[in-house]
């Protein structure tokens, strides 16, 4: 399906192309009735104004990619960004990036802003609960690849970590050290990755016959401050956990801060999901289940360029394995 043009809108509205241009550019002198007809035609055809029309007529592509990440403050997002840029640079393609700050209301607005600028492809981490609105854009030929989280309401190219197995690895490692009371501290449970890590945690706890105390399951933590407070509450329980599994790197930072403040950093075992820049400098150094954000970014960029080069196939999902990095905190034995 080809993108509708300004000429198509003009024909649907029964006006001249110049009139459509005036409406798009918010000319106040256009009559209200005419403007309404043009806007109705734009909505019906899903027309998006082309901010680089002259450039596109000359060469067909803008040599740009759009990258939308969940939160630029997260080191994971930064590593994905760098990897996408490294692949794009080899093709002399610029990468325009934006952070959604994990705000679902910003996703569609940011996506449409990139599409109005006619980026050649999109790589994005979803934060909204439905991405079906992108189906038409994919049908028109725009390569779109989802990273870190699967899209909802849409089948599309996706590159994700094996979150489920990663969580099971963390629990298994702690259980091997003798821990039976392991607490889970998780991210926003509307997010795919958070649900998968919680599912893996619970399944491995059941498989190992570990304590399933309801107070040990803490979810919907959105920042380091909330995870620090949750950690302090866990440590204040009459029978506290002997090990913690913070299932996201920013949550791990809050956990570590709380344990250090409470003098428990060397007596409570911790295995975090995803690495943080200072993991090896902590006391004890942080054991983690590490993702490979660089490979995720590289694979996503390669898919986009393969599509742009004419590859036609069904959408595929690439699952990148996680790995346990043993440093010390996850090897603290229960007292």
């Amino acid at each position: 399906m080809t993108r509708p043009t300004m000429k198509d809108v003009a024909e649907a509205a029964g006006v001249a192309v110049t009139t459509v241009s005036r409406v798009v550019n918010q000319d106040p002198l256009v009559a209200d009735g005419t403007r309404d007809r043009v806007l109705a035609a734009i909505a019906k055809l899903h027309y998006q104004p082309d901010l680089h029309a002259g450039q596109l007529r000359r060469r067909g592509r803008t040599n740009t990619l759009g990258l939308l990440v969940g939160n630029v403050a997260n080191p994971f997002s930064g590593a994905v960004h760098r990897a996408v840029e490294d692949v794009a640079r080899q093709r002399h393609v610029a990468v325009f990036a934006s952070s959604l700050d994990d705000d679902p209301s910003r996703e569609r607005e940011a996506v449409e802003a990139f599409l109005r600028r006619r980026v050649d492809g999109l790589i994005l981490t979803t934060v909204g609960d439905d991405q079906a609105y992108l189906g038409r854009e994919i049908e028109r030929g725009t390569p779109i690849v989802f990273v870190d989280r699967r899209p909802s309401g849409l089948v599309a190219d996706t590159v994700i970590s094996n979150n489920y197995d990663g969580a099971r690895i963390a629990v298994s490692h702690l259980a091997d050290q003798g821990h039976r009371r392991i607490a889970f501290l998780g991210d926003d449970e509307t997010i795919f990755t958070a649900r998968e890590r919680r599912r893996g945690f619970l399944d491995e706890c059941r498989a190992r016959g570990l304590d399933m105390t309801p107070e040990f399951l803490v979810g919907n933590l959105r920042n380091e401050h909330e995870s620090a407070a949750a950690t302090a509450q866990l440590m204040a329980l009459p029978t506290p956990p002997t090990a913690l599994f913070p299932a996201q790197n920013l949550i791990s930072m809050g956990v570590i801060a709380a344990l250090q403040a409470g003098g428990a950093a060397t007596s409570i075992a911790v295995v975090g999901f995803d690495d943080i820049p200072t993991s090896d400098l902590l006391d004890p150094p942080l054991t983690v289940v590490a993702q490979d954000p660089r490979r995720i970014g590289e694979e996503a960029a390669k898919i986009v360029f393969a599509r742009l080069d004419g590859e036609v196939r069904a959408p595929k999902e690439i699952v990148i394995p996680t790995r346990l990095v043993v440093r010390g905190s996850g090897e603290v034995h229960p007292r």
Side-chain angles (χ1 to χ4, degrees):
M1 181 184 297
T2 60
R3 289 190 177 98
T5 64
M6 192 174 288
K7 182 179 179 181
D8 295 329
V9 174
E11 291 177 353
V15 299
V17 172
T18 54
T19 302
V20 176
S21 178
R22 291 171 63 195
V23 172
V24 168
N25 289 292
Q26 300 180 350
D27 185 338
L29 299 180
V30 177
D32 290 343
T34 302
R35 179 181 291 104
D36 291 344
R37 293 205 311 277
V38 171
L39 292 176
I42 287 173
K44 180 179 179 180
L45 297 175
H46 298 278
Y47 170 73
Q48 292 177 331
D50 188 347
L51 302 184
H52 300 293
Q55 185 181 34
L56 281 172
R57 282 194 295 269
R58 289 193 299 272
R59 64 183 188 185
R61 289 186 186 174
T62 62
N63 285 337
T64 59
L65 294 183
L67 172 65
L68 290 168
V69 295
N71 189 337
V72 74
N74 192 319
F76 176 90
S77 298
V80 171
H81 186 178
R82 174 57 63 87
V84 170
E85 279 194 330
D86 287 348
V87 175
R89 188 179 298 114
Q90 298 171 15
R91 304 282 295 250
H92 305 289
V93 170
V95 177
F96 297 142
S98 179
S99 173
L100 300 175
D101 294 331
D102 290 326
D103 182 355
S105 67
R106 294 183 59 180
E107 178 183 299
R108 188 159 183 168
E109 176 186 346
V111 166
E112 290 177 350
F114 276 140
L115 294 177
R116 283 196 299 271
R117 285 159 177 78
R118 294 292 192 248
V119 293
D120 296 329
L122 272 178
I123 297 172
L124 68 150
T125 300
T126 65
V127 293
D129 58 5
D130 187 3
Q131 287 71 48
Y133 67 93
L134 284 169
R136 182 179 293 272
E137 193 65 29
I138 292 176
E139 290 175 0
R140 291 171 178 164
T142 301
I144 297 179
V145 181
F146 295 86
V147 294
D148 190 36
R149 303 164 190 170
R150 286 179 183 144
S152 177
L154 182 72
V155 178
D157 291 316
T158 308
V159 186
I160 59 174
S161 295
N162 197 328
N163 295 280
Y164 175 81
D165 280 358
R168 297 198 70 158
I169 288 170
V171 175
S172 177
H173 182 70
L174 290 168
D176 287 345
Q177 312 308 310
H179 294 280
R180 297 192 58 80
R181 301 197 309 276
I182 306 171
F184 171 90
L185 296 97
D187 198 358
D188 181 350
E189 292 177 6
T190 64
I191 297 174
F192 165 76
T193 51
R195 296 195 303 272
E196 283 294 283
R197 294 169 194 176
R198 180 187 176 100
R199 185 170 70 91
F201 173 87
L202 291 172
D203 283 356
E204 188 63 23
C205 283
R206 294 188 187 100
R208 291 285 192 134
L210 305 181
D211 293 350
M212 302 288 286
T213 306
E215 290 84 358
F216 287 0
L217 292 174
V218 184
N220 293 310
L221 300 173
R222 300 176 188 274
N223 53 53
E224 301 97 310
H225 302 295
E226 291 185 7
S227 65
T231 302
Q233 290 174 359
L234 286 167
M235 293 299 99
L237 291 172
T239 305
T242 61
L244 305 176
F245 173 49
Q248 194 245 33
N249 53 7
L250 298 181
I251 293 175
S252 295
M253 295 179 185
V255 166
I256 293 164
L259 292 179
Q260 289 177 339
T266 59
S267 59
I268 301 297
V270 179
V271 175
F273 198 109
D274 207 6
D275 219 342
I276 58 178
T278 58
S279 291
D280 56 344
L281 302 178
L282 300 171
D283 182 23
L286 183 64
T287 293
V288 298
V289 174
Q291 300 189 81
D292 192 347
R294 180 164 187 84
R295 186 178 169 195
I296 289 174
E298 288 174 348
E299 294 290 347
K302 288 176 182 177
I303 291 173
V304 168
F305 287 120
R307 293 285 196 188
L308 289 171
D309 290 341
E311 182 178 81
V312 178
R313 54 161 178 75
K316 67 179 179 181
E317 178 176 277
I318 297 177
V319 181
I320 308 297
T322 54
R323 61 189 178 90
L324 182 71
V325 180
V326 174
R327 295 195 180 105
S329 70
E331 294 66 60
V332 174
H333 295 287
R335 295 184 180 180

